[in-house]
Amino acid sequence: MNKNDEFELDITDLSDEGTGIGKKDGFVYFVKDAVPGDHVLAAATKLKKNYGFARIVKVLRASPDRVQAPCLIARQCGGCQLQQMSYEAQLRFKEKKVYNNLLRIGEVPEDALKAVFEPIVGMENPFRYRNKAQFPVAEDKSGNIIMGFYAGRTHAVIPCEDCLLGAPENKLILETIRHFMLENHIRPYNEVTGKGLVRHVLIRKGFSSGELMVCLVINGEKLPQQEKLVEALCKLPFKNVSIKSISLSINTERTNVIMGRKIVNLYGPGYIEDTIGDVRFRISPLSFYQVNPVQTEKMYGAALEFADLHGTENIYDLYCGIGTISLFMSKKAKHVYGVEIVPDAIRDAKQNASINGITNADFSVGAAEEVLPAFYEAQKKKAVEAREKIDVISVDPPRKGCDEACLEAIVGIAPEKIVYVSCDSATLARDIKYLRAHGYDLKKVRPVDNFPETVHVETVALLHRI
Ligand code: SAH
């Protein structure tokens, strides 16, 4: 086989990154945009010692799971990896991925895993679910202003003002900003030259409140004629939603980081509000907030259900962000201690507790792998009161999972229950292996699809002390 050679291939599997996999003559090929069950004419693009990459020349026989991707730029854009697969098949793929990781990496015996593994919780409508979008602004070859998405793994902007995962209002907002820029001769930022003003547009929508936030990231301190933009945005004829906050984020650095730390408020209170379940959240441009509120409610619901609280429990909520899980749990617990590494998130968490009238949640800034071991040491020395016996520890770490020092402290503190919310089932499996080896039993696993059309999946797991 040589590069560009064409050959027929049966696609039999999907990699964790959503690439189709087929085998021919003992050689494994990774084929982008191919769906298991497809029979394709492929062309080799890159050959290694015992595997290679290929592209689809033609789908000769389509898999029953193949659908027409609803988005016209799904193949170029880096955002969605699974649009060419039916939603049912996407769910099966994600369920299998979590299951296999727990089996192989987590070494959970198959019988035990089968007994606790619940079906994945999917969405009724797997589009338009994102409450946040960040559109890079650029210039095309003819000098037109374009807004859209970076093509997979590059910084080339593909124009797209109506991403099908995002809110329908985004399109009109972007159009308005584009017209404003044209009329006022404001140029997009150019990553190569470092010149130009407007870098990104961040739009957030409170799905339950109907409040919209628009934040322009600019390479400068001021936006010329900014009052005209505020006026134009506020006049947009939306139904049931309205623009509540317009701001600038100042980012004059030559960097890939999207948001600048300094926020200049142009209109409104500087934040929008939204509710998940019956907890209200204040969201400012720089706060972290889960992007799929419909599924997040189901995910936090699972965490709460698994914790099975009776109002008497002391809880540690590690990696608590703006206090979402903590506040959800606080209503049914005695006390919740939230720990999070980002100071701004802790500031938001405290404010969120206060706007909800919650007084039994405390938040502190720190790394989970430092705060928890310190607490454990203090507990061992009886420096803390017996009332601080911890009944439940919940964790929701970033993709890299929990640090071993954190897991060590967890098993030392020995809470009756551990609720683990994970956005990467491989590191979840690694950590479950540790916890199972240190006195915990896996009791429940429920994957939740917070990111339809992409390969990502959340998982909520419950462990009990044996
Ligand atoms: N539970 C929250 C946030 C989950 S995202 C929610 O559902 O909204 C993971 C969080 O862990 C982020 O807020 C991140 O800032 C925080 N984080 C990352 N590393 C950390 C560490 N070592 N210790 C504590 N928090 C950390």
Side-chain angles (χ1 to χ4, degrees):
M1 184 80 63
N2 293 307
K3 199 177 159 185
N4 292 326
D5 280 359
E6 292 188 2
F7 57 100
E8 290 190 23
L9 189 68
D10 278 319
I11 304 298
T12 50
D13 210 347
L14 206 59
S15 77
D16 279 358
E17 292 76 41
T19 308
I21 299 175
K23 282 189 192 139
K24 196 176 178 74
D25 308 329
F27 221 70
V28 177
Y29 289 95
F30 293 91
V31 189
K32 197 173 166 286
D33 303 314
V35 175
D38 277 347
H39 180 70
V40 300
L41 181 64
T45 51
K46 202 174 188 180
L47 296 162
K48 299 272 184 182
K49 201 161 162 237
N50 40 28
Y51 67 96
F53 297 89
R55 63 181 171 83
I56 298 180
V57 177
K58 194 173 179 203
V59 178
L60 299 172
R61 196 180 57 244
S63 159
D65 294 331
R66 176 175 276 283
V67 296
Q68 177 75 40
C71 171
L72 294 176
I73 60 157
R75 280 184 79 161
Q76 296 121 285
C77 167
C80 292
Q81 302 85 25
L82 301 179
Q83 267 201 30
Q84 70 287 0
M85 239 162 97
S86 72
Y87 189 52
E88 265 313 305
Q90 292 180 26
L91 291 176
R92 267 185 277 124
F93 159 71
K94 294 185 190 190
E95 210 173 68
K96 198 171 118 197
K97 172 159 126 176
V98 176
Y99 186 90
N100 283 340
N101 279 337
L102 289 172
L103 194 65
R104 298 197 182 125
I105 304 172
E107 295 177 18
V108 183
E110 185 137 31
D111 286 352
L113 185 56
K114 273 198 180 128
V116 300
F117 197 90
E118 299 182 12
I120 188 166
V121 181
M123 287 194 89
E124 216 166 288
N125 176 9
F127 286 96
R128 300 261 181 232
Y129 61 81
R130 282 186 66 99
N131 58 14
K132 171 183 167 182
Q134 294 176 124
F135 298 89
V137 184
E139 210 171 66
D140 69 9
K141 288 200 182 82
S142 330
N144 300 312
I145 298 172
I146 53 170
M147 300 172 178
F149 293 93
Y150 293 125
R153 295 197 192 93
T154 76
H155 266 210
V157 175
I158 299 171
C160 172
E161 296 187 357
D162 189 25
C163 167
L164 297 181
L165 299 193
E169 291 84 7
N170 293 349
K171 187 169 186 286
L172 208 49
I173 293 172
L174 293 181
E175 256 171 45
T176 308
I177 295 172
R178 196 156 37 78
H179 285 145
F180 162 80
M181 287 175 67
L182 276 174
E183 271 176 17
N184 296 285
H185 311 289
I186 297 169
R187 299 311 303 169
Y189 175 71
N190 181 318
E191 282 186 335
V192 181
T193 63
K195 298 218 167 73
L197 191 62
V198 183
R199 301 171 73 125
H200 270 87
V201 178
L202 163 74
I203 306 174
R204 281 178 137 165
K205 179 181 176 183
F207 276 31
S208 59
S209 66
E211 299 182 0
L212 286 164
M213 165 189 290
V214 180
C215 179
L216 271 69
V217 185
I218 59 168
N219 173 40
E221 295 291 326
K222 199 173 172 303
L223 185 67
Q225 310 286 336
Q226 56 196 33
E227 61 294 339
K228 285 191 190 161
L229 177 65
V230 171
E231 197 189 323
L233 286 173
C234 288
K235 272 207 305 232
L236 290 177
F238 293 130
K239 269 196 211 124
N240 305 324
V241 296
S242 61
I243 298 209
K244 270 282 149 70
S245 161
I246 305 173
S247 57
L248 302 174
S249 156
I250 311 300
N251 185 357
T252 52
E253 309 273 315
R254 299 283 286 261
T255 163
N256 276 345
V257 176
I258 295 178
M259 301 292 290
R261 301 297 304 166
K262 185 173 162 201
I263 301 291
V264 178
N265 200 24
L266 300 184
Y267 171 81
Y271 55 81
I272 56 168
E273 289 194 339
D274 196 28
T275 54
I276 299 181
D278 56 0
V279 185
R280 205 147 58 97
F281 294 100
R282 195 168 278 187
I283 310 151
S284 42
L286 296 174
S287 325
F288 173 87
Y289 188 60
Q290 293 277 350
V291 295
N292 183 336
V294 171
Q295 292 302 93
T296 296
E297 184 166 353
K298 297 178 194 168
M299 183 170 83
Y300 293 165
L304 195 62
E305 179 194 322
F306 287 5
D308 187 27
L309 303 173
H310 296 93
T312 53
E313 295 86 351
N314 283 317
I315 303 177
Y316 249 111
D317 179 26
L318 306 175
Y319 313 88
C320 71
I322 58 167
T324 29
I325 296 174
S326 320
L327 298 178
F328 241 62
M329 290 194 170
S330 69
K331 301 202 167 184
K332 298 208 166 148
K334 187 168 155 212
H335 208 100
V336 183
Y337 302 89
V339 178
E340 155 68 43
I341 206 161
V342 175
D344 283 11
I346 287 298
R347 193 202 57 207
D348 289 350
K350 287 180 176 165
Q351 201 163 34
N352 287 331
S354 132
I355 62 174
N356 287 283
I358 292 169
T359 52
N360 62 337
D362 286 318
F363 295 96
S364 53
V365 180
E369 61 276 17
E370 288 169 13
V371 174
L372 207 64
F375 174 82
Y376 178 44
E377 284 309 313
Q379 206 181 38
K380 274 199 292 193
K381 288 187 202 133
K382 305 237 184 307
V384 282
E385 306 286 320
R387 69 180 164 79
E388 282 187 312
K389 174 178 152 304
I390 299 298
D391 307 286
V392 179
I393 294 184
S394 73
V395 299
D396 183 6
R399 282 191 201 156
K400 70 176 170 61
C402 294
D403 208 276
E404 193 157 325
C406 176
L407 295 174
E408 229 176 82
I410 292 177
V411 301
I413 292 166
E416 207 176 304
K417 295 170 200 160
I418 301 169
V419 178
Y420 196 134
V421 179
S422 157
C423 55
D424 184 333
S425 56
T427 55
L428 168 71
R430 179 201 67 202
D431 293 348
I432 281 181
K433 183 177 166 189
Y434 180 97
L435 294 170
R436 287 186 70 252
H438 291 84
Y440 282 84
D441 232 2
L442 184 60
K443 286 290 183 189
K444 278 182 184 166
V445 179
R446 186 182 298 167
V448 182
D449 187 19
N450 280 26
F451 314 104
E453 315 307 326
T454 81
V455 292
H456 303 291
V457 57
E458 295 271 347
T459 307
V460 188
L462 170 71
L463 295 109
H464 275 189
R465 199 177 66 219
I466 298 169

